[in-house]
Amino acid sequence: MHATLRGHVVERQDVGSYVYLRIVDEHGAPRWVVTLHLRLTTSDDVVATVLARADRFSSPRLHRTFSPLY
């Protein structure tokens, strides 16, 4: 899967060298994206190149499930 998501960061969860970002895309839909640690805030706009998608991912460190996760 190769796609591009554009949106506004509304939440972030830092876990070690990764950061989970909840973005609201250009259609108003919330999406969870995981990437390497970035210096973004909850007021930034982002463009993410999606290389893979997990229908359901559970993070043991966060005790949280992301569905789906890009």
Side-chain angles (χ1 to χ4, degrees):
M1 167 182 214
H2 291 278
T4 301
L5 291 177
R6 292 170 176 27
H8 186 78
V9 178
V10 295
E11 184 179 348
R12 66 178 288 144
Q13 295 282 318
D14 294 280
V15 181
S17 60
Y18 294 98
V19 61
Y20 293 82
L21 301 171
R22 185 167 60 99
I23 64 170
V24 175
D25 72 14
E26 55 219 2
H27 305 290
R31 311 276 185 196
W32 279 102
V33 176
V34 65
T35 187
L36 293 175
H37 188 72
L38 296 172
R39 292 185 181 189
L40 294 171
T41 67
T42 55
S43 62
D44 287 333
D45 291 324
V46 295
V47 177
T49 301
V50 177
L51 302 177
R53 178 181 184 265
D55 290 329
R56 180 178 169 89
F57 176 78
S58 294
S59 169
R61 291 177 78 181
L62 290 176
H63 306 287
R64 186 170 184 172
T65 298
F66 301 91
S67 182
L69 178 63
Y70 296 92

